[in-house]
Amino acid sequence: MILYELIDFDTLRVIWWALLGVLLIGFALTDGFDMGVGALLPFVARSDVERRVAINTVGPVWEGNQVWFILGGGAIFAAWPPLYAVSFSGFYLAMFVVLAAFIVRPVAFKYRSKRDSATWRTCWDWALFAGGAVPALLFGVAVGNVLLGVPFHLTPDLMPMYDGNFAMKFLGLLRPFALLSGVVSLSMLLMHGAAWLTLKTDGMVAIRARAIGTVAGMVAAGAYALAGLWLAFGVDGFAFTSEVVANGPSNPLYSEVARGGSWLSAYAERPWIAIAPLMGFVGIAMAVRGLREGFEVSTLLWSKLGIFGIIASVGLTMFPFILPSTVDPDSSLTVWDASSSHRTLFIMLVVTAIFMPLILAYTSWVYKVLWGKVTEDDVTANSHSVY
C-alpha cells in the first residue's frame, strides 16, 4: 500500500505508455526477423533443401517470439481500454487480414513437409511469404494512420463511432503516407530477417540474404527519411488547447485538442528525443555495412538498434497522444485521459515486475540452447523433421 501511494497516477500512466512501447518494440525485434525470413524465403532459397534451412532458423522460435504480440495486445486491453476499443474496431478488417496471415504461418510450418510434392511445398512456401510480408506491411500502414489521425469520434457516453462504411474502414487506411510507412516497416523487417539468416546460415542462402538485406536496408533508410520530411511539411500534428491535467479522469472528452502545426515541434520542446531517429539511421547504416562486409552477430544487433530507434521515434514524437481523431480532435486519445484506473495500473505493474524477468530469462535460455548455424547437412540428415 505504501508503494501504491508513492507512485502517482500520472507517473503510472507514463510508465505504462513506456511499457506498451517496450512490448511492441520487443515484438518487432523478435518476431520481426521471423516475418522477415518468411518474406525472404522464395528469394534467398532456391532449392527445397535451402528453403528447409531457412525455415529451420525460425521454426523453433517463432511461437515464443509471438508472445510479445500477445502481451502487447493484452497490455492495450488492460491499461488503455479506450485505445483497444477504438483501434480494434476501426482497424477491424486490417487486423483480420493480419490474423489470417498469422494463422497461415503455423499451418505452413506444420504442413509443408507432410508431402514430397514440389508443387505442394512451393504453395506452402508462398504461404510463409504472405505470413511474413503482409503483417510487416500492414503494421507500418497502421502506424502511418496513427500519425495521420483516424476518422472517429466519441459520443457523450464514450462510445467510438467511425465515419465511412464497413469497407472504407480498410480501404481508407491505404493513404499515401500510410503506405510509405508500410514500406518503411516491410523493408526494415526484410533487413532484419536477412541479418538473422546471415547469422544462422551459410552458403548461398546467406549470400543471397546479404545482397537482398543490403538493398532492403537502404530502402528502409530512404523511406524513413522521406517519411520524416513528409511528416514535417505535409502532415498536421495535434496539440492541447486546454490545460493538461496529467492525473485527471480517464475521459478523452475532458480535454480540448486542436489540429495544426507539425508533429516535429516535439523536437523543439524536447530536444533529447532526437536520439531515437538518430539510433534509427545509425542502426540501419551499420546493419547495411555489416551485411556488405559479412559480419554476423554485430549486424543483427545493429539491425535491432535501428528498429528500436524507428519505432521509438514515433511514440516520442506523438507523446502524449496515442490515437488522434481527425473528425473530432477533442476525442483524441492521450496518455493522460485514456488509461485504466490508478489501482489497475499499479496491480498490472506489480504483475509485470514479477513475470517480465521470467519471460526474459526463459527467452534468453532458449536462444542460448538454439545457438549455432543451421546447415544443409542438418536438414538432409533428418528429412522427415517437422520443418
Side-chain angles (χ1 to χ4, degrees):
M1 277 309 282
I2 295 177
L3 185 60
Y4 170 73
E5 294 174 355
L6 287 176
I7 304 180
D8 297 333
F9 194 14
D10 52 338
T11 302
L12 277 173
R13 283 169 160 166
V14 174
I15 289 173
W16 271 103
W17 168 81
L19 283 175
L20 178 59
V22 168
L23 294 174
L24 296 179
I25 291 173
F27 169 65
L29 297 183
T30 55
D31 204 46
F33 65 71
D34 295 340
M35 290 186 283
V37 169
L40 289 170
L41 182 62
F43 311 105
V44 299
R46 306 283 173 81
S47 68
D48 181 66
V49 172
E50 287 180 348
R51 291 186 178 182
R52 291 187 65 217
V53 167
I55 291 170
N56 273 273
T57 66
V58 297
V61 298
W62 74 268
E63 287 181 289
N65 292 340
Q66 212 157 13
V67 166
W68 293 96
F69 181 66
I70 298 170
L71 290 174
I76 294 175
F77 174 77
W80 310 96
L83 175 61
Y84 184 90
V86 174
S87 61
F88 276 63
S89 58
F91 297 166
Y92 179 82
L93 286 177
M95 290 191 175
F96 181 84
V97 173
V98 169
L99 289 176
F102 279 164
I103 291 170
V104 166
R105 181 167 61 171
V107 174
F109 279 136
K110 298 300 181 183
Y111 277 82
R112 183 189 185 277
S113 295
K114 298 301 182 183
R115 294 175 60 183
D116 290 332
S117 167
T119 302
W120 171 271
R121 294 190 174 190
T122 299
C123 289
W124 288 117
D125 290 338
W126 284 104
L128 287 171
F129 164 79
V134 171
L137 176 67
L138 289 183
F139 284 138
V141 170
V143 171
N145 276 281
V146 169
L147 285 163
L148 290 170
V150 181
F152 75 93
H153 69 275
L154 299 176
T155 64
D157 57 357
L158 301 184
M159 178 181 294
M161 304 294 291
Y162 276 82
D163 289 358
N165 57 37
F166 189 67
M168 286 303 296
K169 288 184 179 181
F170 179 72
L171 298 177
L173 300 178
L174 305 179
R175 295 178 277 182
F177 177 80
L179 290 173
L180 176 62
S181 299
V183 171
V184 174
S185 175
L186 177 60
S187 56
M188 77 176 184
L189 293 186
L190 288 175
M191 176 193 70
H192 199 42
W196 176 255
L197 286 173
T198 62
L199 175 67
K200 296 291 290 182
T201 68
D202 51 21
M204 290 306 300
V205 173
I207 292 172
R208 296 186 193 111
R210 290 191 185 100
I212 298 174
T214 299
V215 175
M218 292 188 290
V219 171
Y224 182 52
L226 179 59
L229 292 173
W230 196 331
L231 203 62
F233 301 106
V235 177
D236 289 335
F238 291 77
F240 284 104
T241 56
S242 63
E243 181 182 357
V244 177
V245 182
N247 60 352
S250 294
N251 182 347
L253 299 179
Y254 186 76
S255 304
E256 296 179 3
V257 174
R259 188 179 187 186
S262 171
W263 280 122
L264 300 191
S265 61
Y267 291 87
E269 300 168 2
R270 306 186 300 275
W272 62 270
I273 68 175
I275 191 172
L278 179 62
M279 286 192 299
F281 283 116
V282 170
I284 292 176
M286 294 302 293
V288 169
R289 177 178 178 272
L291 287 167
R292 296 181 65 178
E293 298 295 329
F295 301 140
E296 295 180 354
V297 176
S298 61
T299 299
L300 184 64
L301 295 178
W302 283 117
S303 178
K304 289 180 181 292
L305 179 69
I307 293 172
F308 181 96
I310 288 174
I311 297 176
S313 68
V314 176
L316 291 171
T317 298
M318 292 185 62
F319 183 87
F321 289 90
I322 303 176
L323 187 64
S325 168
T326 55
V327 297
D328 179 22
D330 288 345
S331 295
S332 299
L333 308 182
T334 75
V335 171
W336 309 128
D337 55 29
S339 73
S340 293
S341 67
H342 188 180
R343 185 176 299 275
T344 299
L345 296 182
F346 177 76
I347 293 173
M348 289 175 58
L349 183 62
V350 172
V351 172
T352 301
I354 295 171
F355 287 100
M356 184 63 75
L358 297 177
I359 294 173
L360 293 174
Y362 175 74
T363 302
S364 300
W365 176 78
V366 168
Y367 280 97
K368 180 181 179 181
V369 170
L370 296 173
W371 185 260
K373 290 183 179 292
V374 179
T375 66
E376 292 188 9
D377 290 339
D378 293 331
V379 298
T380 55
N382 187 15
S383 60
H384 297 290
S385 65
V386 174
Y387 305 112

Short mmCIF file of all heavy atoms in Angstrom, two decimals, residues 37-76:
data_model
loop_
_atom_site.label_atom_id
_atom_site.label_comp_id
_atom_site.label_asym_id
_atom_site.label_seq_id
_atom_site.Cartn_x
_atom_site.Cartn_y
_atom_site.Cartn_z
N VAL A 37 12.23 -13.36 -42.47
CA VAL A 37 12.68 -14.60 -43.10
C VAL A 37 11.57 -15.18 -43.97
O VAL A 37 11.81 -15.65 -45.10
CB VAL A 37 13.11 -15.62 -42.03
CG1 VAL A 37 13.33 -17.01 -42.66
CG2 VAL A 37 14.39 -15.16 -41.34
N GLY A 38 10.33 -15.15 -43.48
CA GLY A 38 9.22 -15.65 -44.28
C GLY A 38 9.07 -14.88 -45.58
O GLY A 38 8.87 -15.46 -46.66
N ALA A 39 9.17 -13.55 -45.50
CA ALA A 39 9.04 -12.72 -46.70
C ALA A 39 10.20 -12.93 -47.67
O ALA A 39 10.04 -12.76 -48.88
CB ALA A 39 8.93 -11.25 -46.30
N LEU A 40 11.36 -13.29 -47.14
CA LEU A 40 12.54 -13.51 -47.99
C LEU A 40 12.62 -14.92 -48.55
O LEU A 40 13.37 -15.17 -49.50
CB LEU A 40 13.82 -13.23 -47.18
CG LEU A 40 14.12 -11.78 -46.81
CD1 LEU A 40 15.26 -11.74 -45.80
CD2 LEU A 40 14.48 -10.98 -48.05
N LEU A 41 11.85 -15.85 -47.98
CA LEU A 41 12.02 -17.26 -48.28
C LEU A 41 12.07 -17.61 -49.77
O LEU A 41 13.00 -18.31 -50.21
CB LEU A 41 10.91 -18.07 -47.59
CG LEU A 41 10.98 -19.58 -47.76
CD1 LEU A 41 12.26 -20.15 -47.15
CD2 LEU A 41 9.75 -20.24 -47.13
N PRO A 42 11.12 -17.15 -50.60
CA PRO A 42 11.17 -17.56 -52.02
C PRO A 42 12.37 -17.00 -52.78
O PRO A 42 12.67 -17.45 -53.88
CB PRO A 42 9.85 -17.01 -52.59
CG PRO A 42 9.00 -16.73 -51.41
CD PRO A 42 9.94 -16.34 -50.32
N PHE A 43 13.05 -16.00 -52.20
CA PHE A 43 14.10 -15.29 -52.93
C PHE A 43 15.50 -15.65 -52.47
O PHE A 43 16.44 -15.60 -53.27
CB PHE A 43 13.87 -13.78 -52.79
CG PHE A 43 12.46 -13.37 -53.10
CD1 PHE A 43 11.58 -13.01 -52.07
CD2 PHE A 43 11.98 -13.36 -54.40
CE1 PHE A 43 10.27 -12.65 -52.35
CE2 PHE A 43 10.68 -12.99 -54.69
CZ PHE A 43 9.82 -12.65 -53.66
N VAL A 44 15.67 -15.99 -51.20
CA VAL A 44 17.00 -16.34 -50.72
C VAL A 44 17.27 -17.84 -50.83
O VAL A 44 18.43 -18.27 -50.78
CB VAL A 44 17.20 -15.90 -49.24
CG1 VAL A 44 17.06 -14.41 -49.11
CG2 VAL A 44 16.24 -16.62 -48.30
N ALA A 45 16.23 -18.65 -50.97
CA ALA A 45 16.38 -20.10 -51.03
C ALA A 45 15.76 -20.62 -52.32
O ALA A 45 14.55 -20.46 -52.52
CB ALA A 45 15.74 -20.75 -49.81
N ARG A 46 16.55 -21.27 -53.16
CA ARG A 46 16.07 -21.72 -54.46
C ARG A 46 15.64 -23.19 -54.42
O ARG A 46 14.62 -23.54 -55.00
CB ARG A 46 17.17 -21.52 -55.51
CG ARG A 46 17.72 -20.09 -55.56
CD ARG A 46 16.78 -19.13 -56.27
NE ARG A 46 17.23 -17.75 -56.18
CZ ARG A 46 18.17 -17.22 -56.96
NH1 ARG A 46 18.78 -17.96 -57.88
NH2 ARG A 46 18.51 -15.94 -56.82
N SER A 47 16.40 -24.03 -53.78
CA SER A 47 16.08 -25.45 -53.74
C SER A 47 15.28 -25.79 -52.48
O SER A 47 15.19 -24.98 -51.55
CB SER A 47 17.36 -26.28 -53.76
OG SER A 47 18.10 -26.09 -52.56
N ASP A 48 14.72 -26.99 -52.46
CA ASP A 48 13.95 -27.42 -51.29
C ASP A 48 14.82 -27.49 -50.05
O ASP A 48 14.41 -27.09 -48.96
CB ASP A 48 13.31 -28.78 -51.56
CG ASP A 48 12.47 -29.26 -50.39
OD1 ASP A 48 11.44 -28.62 -50.09
OD2 ASP A 48 12.86 -30.26 -49.74
N VAL A 49 16.05 -27.96 -50.21
CA VAL A 49 16.96 -28.06 -49.06
C VAL A 49 17.28 -26.67 -48.52
O VAL A 49 17.29 -26.45 -47.29
CB VAL A 49 18.25 -28.81 -49.44
CG1 VAL A 49 19.27 -28.74 -48.31
CG2 VAL A 49 17.95 -30.25 -49.80
N GLU A 50 17.55 -25.72 -49.40
CA GLU A 50 17.84 -24.36 -48.95
C GLU A 50 16.64 -23.76 -48.23
O GLU A 50 16.81 -23.06 -47.21
CB GLU A 50 18.22 -23.49 -50.15
CG GLU A 50 19.59 -23.80 -50.73
CD GLU A 50 19.93 -22.93 -51.91
OE1 GLU A 50 19.02 -22.25 -52.45
OE2 GLU A 50 21.11 -22.92 -52.32
N ARG A 51 15.46 -24.02 -48.73
CA ARG A 51 14.27 -23.47 -48.07
C ARG A 51 14.06 -24.11 -46.70
O ARG A 51 13.63 -23.45 -45.75
CB ARG A 51 13.06 -23.64 -48.97
CG ARG A 51 13.14 -22.75 -50.20
CD ARG A 51 11.91 -22.77 -51.07
NE ARG A 51 12.06 -21.84 -52.19
CZ ARG A 51 11.14 -21.60 -53.10
NH1 ARG A 51 9.97 -22.22 -53.05
NH2 ARG A 51 11.38 -20.74 -54.07
N ARG A 52 14.36 -25.39 -46.60
CA ARG A 52 14.25 -26.04 -45.29
C ARG A 52 15.27 -25.49 -44.31
O ARG A 52 15.00 -25.37 -43.12
CB ARG A 52 14.41 -27.55 -45.44
CG ARG A 52 13.22 -28.21 -46.17
CD ARG A 52 13.32 -29.71 -46.14
NE ARG A 52 13.21 -30.20 -44.78
CZ ARG A 52 13.90 -31.22 -44.30
NH1 ARG A 52 14.77 -31.85 -45.05
NH2 ARG A 52 13.71 -31.61 -43.06
N VAL A 53 16.44 -25.13 -44.81
CA VAL A 53 17.45 -24.49 -43.95
C VAL A 53 16.91 -23.17 -43.41
O VAL A 53 16.98 -22.89 -42.21
CB VAL A 53 18.76 -24.26 -44.74
CG1 VAL A 53 19.70 -23.33 -43.96
CG2 VAL A 53 19.47 -25.58 -45.01
N ALA A 54 16.38 -22.32 -44.31
CA ALA A 54 15.85 -21.02 -43.88
C ALA A 54 14.70 -21.18 -42.90
O ALA A 54 14.63 -20.49 -41.87
CB ALA A 54 15.39 -20.22 -45.11
N ILE A 55 13.80 -22.11 -43.18
CA ILE A 55 12.65 -22.32 -42.30
C ILE A 55 13.08 -22.80 -40.93
O ILE A 55 12.54 -22.38 -39.90
CB ILE A 55 11.67 -23.32 -42.95
CG1 ILE A 55 11.01 -22.69 -44.18
CG2 ILE A 55 10.59 -23.75 -41.95
CD1 ILE A 55 10.22 -23.68 -45.02
N ASN A 56 14.10 -23.66 -40.89
CA ASN A 56 14.55 -24.20 -39.62
C ASN A 56 15.30 -23.18 -38.75
O ASN A 56 15.54 -23.44 -37.58
CB ASN A 56 15.43 -25.43 -39.84
CG ASN A 56 14.61 -26.70 -39.96
OD1 ASN A 56 14.29 -27.35 -38.96
ND2 ASN A 56 14.26 -27.06 -41.18
N THR A 57 15.65 -22.03 -39.32
CA THR A 57 16.25 -20.99 -38.48
C THR A 57 15.21 -20.30 -37.60
O THR A 57 15.55 -19.77 -36.53
CB THR A 57 16.95 -19.92 -39.34
OG1 THR A 57 15.99 -19.21 -40.13
CG2 THR A 57 18.00 -20.55 -40.24
N VAL A 58 13.95 -20.31 -38.04
CA VAL A 58 12.90 -19.63 -37.27
C VAL A 58 11.85 -20.58 -36.72
O VAL A 58 11.11 -20.22 -35.80
CB VAL A 58 12.20 -18.54 -38.11
CG1 VAL A 58 13.19 -17.46 -38.51
CG2 VAL A 58 11.53 -19.13 -39.34
N GLY A 59 11.77 -21.78 -37.29
CA GLY A 59 10.74 -22.72 -36.87
C GLY A 59 10.69 -22.98 -35.38
O GLY A 59 9.60 -23.01 -34.77
N PRO A 60 11.85 -23.16 -34.70
CA PRO A 60 11.80 -23.47 -33.27
C PRO A 60 11.51 -22.27 -32.36
O PRO A 60 11.26 -22.45 -31.17
CB PRO A 60 13.22 -24.01 -32.99
CG PRO A 60 13.80 -24.35 -34.32
CD PRO A 60 13.19 -23.37 -35.27
N VAL A 61 11.58 -21.03 -32.91
CA VAL A 61 11.48 -19.87 -32.02
C VAL A 61 10.29 -18.96 -32.31
O VAL A 61 9.99 -18.07 -31.49
CB VAL A 61 12.77 -19.02 -32.08
CG1 VAL A 61 13.96 -19.83 -31.60
CG2 VAL A 61 13.01 -18.50 -33.50
N TRP A 62 9.61 -19.13 -33.43
CA TRP A 62 8.59 -18.14 -33.81
C TRP A 62 7.45 -18.07 -32.81
O TRP A 62 6.92 -16.98 -32.53
CB TRP A 62 8.06 -18.43 -35.22
CG TRP A 62 7.14 -19.61 -35.30
CD1 TRP A 62 7.48 -20.89 -35.57
CD2 TRP A 62 5.72 -19.61 -35.10
NE1 TRP A 62 6.38 -21.71 -35.54
CE2 TRP A 62 5.28 -20.94 -35.25
CE3 TRP A 62 4.79 -18.62 -34.80
CZ2 TRP A 62 3.95 -21.30 -35.11
CZ3 TRP A 62 3.45 -18.99 -34.67
CH2 TRP A 62 3.04 -20.31 -34.82
N GLU A 63 7.05 -19.21 -32.23
CA GLU A 63 5.94 -19.19 -31.27
C GLU A 63 6.29 -18.38 -30.03
O GLU A 63 5.48 -17.60 -29.52
CB GLU A 63 5.55 -20.61 -30.89
CG GLU A 63 4.81 -21.36 -31.99
CD GLU A 63 4.41 -22.75 -31.57
OE1 GLU A 63 5.30 -23.61 -31.45
OE2 GLU A 63 3.21 -22.99 -31.36
N GLY A 64 7.51 -18.58 -29.52
CA GLY A 64 7.94 -17.80 -28.36
C GLY A 64 8.04 -16.32 -28.67
O GLY A 64 7.68 -15.48 -27.84
N ASN A 65 8.50 -16.00 -29.88
CA ASN A 65 8.61 -14.60 -30.26
C ASN A 65 7.25 -13.92 -30.33
O ASN A 65 7.12 -12.72 -30.04
CB ASN A 65 9.30 -14.48 -31.62
CG ASN A 65 10.76 -14.89 -31.56
OD1 ASN A 65 11.37 -14.91 -30.49
ND2 ASN A 65 11.33 -15.24 -32.71
N GLN A 66 6.23 -14.67 -30.72
CA GLN A 66 4.91 -14.07 -30.87
C GLN A 66 4.25 -13.78 -29.53
O GLN A 66 3.21 -13.10 -29.48
CB GLN A 66 4.02 -14.99 -31.71
CG GLN A 66 3.01 -14.23 -32.53
CD GLN A 66 2.52 -15.03 -33.73
OE1 GLN A 66 2.72 -16.23 -33.84
NE2 GLN A 66 1.84 -14.36 -34.64
N VAL A 67 4.84 -14.26 -28.44
CA VAL A 67 4.34 -13.92 -27.11
C VAL A 67 4.32 -12.41 -26.91
O VAL A 67 3.41 -11.85 -26.26
CB VAL A 67 5.19 -14.60 -26.03
CG1 VAL A 67 4.91 -14.00 -24.65
CG2 VAL A 67 4.92 -16.10 -26.00
N TRP A 68 5.30 -11.72 -27.50
CA TRP A 68 5.36 -10.26 -27.35
C TRP A 68 4.15 -9.59 -27.98
O TRP A 68 3.67 -8.57 -27.48
CB TRP A 68 6.65 -9.73 -27.98
CG TRP A 68 7.87 -10.18 -27.24
CD1 TRP A 68 8.65 -11.26 -27.55
CD2 TRP A 68 8.43 -9.60 -26.06
NE1 TRP A 68 9.67 -11.38 -26.63
CE2 TRP A 68 9.56 -10.37 -25.72
CE3 TRP A 68 8.09 -8.50 -25.28
CZ2 TRP A 68 10.35 -10.07 -24.61
CZ3 TRP A 68 8.88 -8.19 -24.18
CH2 TRP A 68 9.99 -8.97 -23.87
N PHE A 69 3.67 -10.14 -29.09
CA PHE A 69 2.47 -9.60 -29.73
C PHE A 69 1.25 -9.78 -28.83
O PHE A 69 0.43 -8.87 -28.67
CB PHE A 69 2.27 -10.32 -31.07
CG PHE A 69 1.06 -9.84 -31.84
CD1 PHE A 69 1.00 -8.56 -32.34
CD2 PHE A 69 0.00 -10.69 -32.09
CE1 PHE A 69 -0.09 -8.12 -33.07
CE2 PHE A 69 -1.10 -10.27 -32.81
CZ PHE A 69 -1.15 -8.98 -33.30
N ILE A 70 1.15 -10.95 -28.22
CA ILE A 70 0.02 -11.23 -27.31
C ILE A 70 0.10 -10.32 -26.09
O ILE A 70 -0.92 -9.77 -25.64
CB ILE A 70 0.04 -12.71 -26.90
CG1 ILE A 70 -0.15 -13.60 -28.14
CG2 ILE A 70 -1.05 -13.01 -25.87
CD1 ILE A 70 0.10 -15.06 -27.88
N LEU A 71 1.30 -10.16 -25.55
CA LEU A 71 1.47 -9.27 -24.40
C LEU A 71 1.11 -7.83 -24.75
O LEU A 71 0.49 -7.12 -23.94
CB LEU A 71 2.91 -9.34 -23.89
CG LEU A 71 3.34 -10.65 -23.21
CD1 LEU A 71 4.83 -10.61 -22.90
CD2 LEU A 71 2.54 -10.89 -21.94
N GLY A 72 1.50 -7.40 -25.95
CA GLY A 72 1.16 -6.04 -26.37
C GLY A 72 -0.34 -5.83 -26.47
O GLY A 72 -0.88 -4.83 -26.00
N GLY A 73 -1.03 -6.81 -27.09
CA GLY A 73 -2.50 -6.71 -27.18
C GLY A 73 -3.14 -6.74 -25.81
O GLY A 73 -4.10 -6.00 -25.55
N GLY A 74 -2.63 -7.60 -24.93
CA GLY A 74 -3.18 -7.67 -23.57
C GLY A 74 -2.95 -6.38 -22.80
O GLY A 74 -3.82 -5.94 -22.04
N ALA A 75 -1.77 -5.77 -22.98
CA ALA A 75 -1.49 -4.52 -22.29
C ALA A 75 -2.41 -3.40 -22.77
O ALA A 75 -2.89 -2.59 -21.96
CB ALA A 75 -0.03 -4.13 -22.52
N ILE A 76 -2.68 -3.35 -24.07
CA ILE A 76 -3.61 -2.34 -24.59
C ILE A 76 -5.00 -2.56 -23.99
O ILE A 76 -5.66 -1.61 -23.57
CB ILE A 76 -3.67 -2.41 -26.13
CG1 ILE A 76 -2.33 -2.01 -26.73
CG2 ILE A 76 -4.79 -1.51 -26.66
CD1 ILE A 76 -2.26 -2.16 -28.24
#
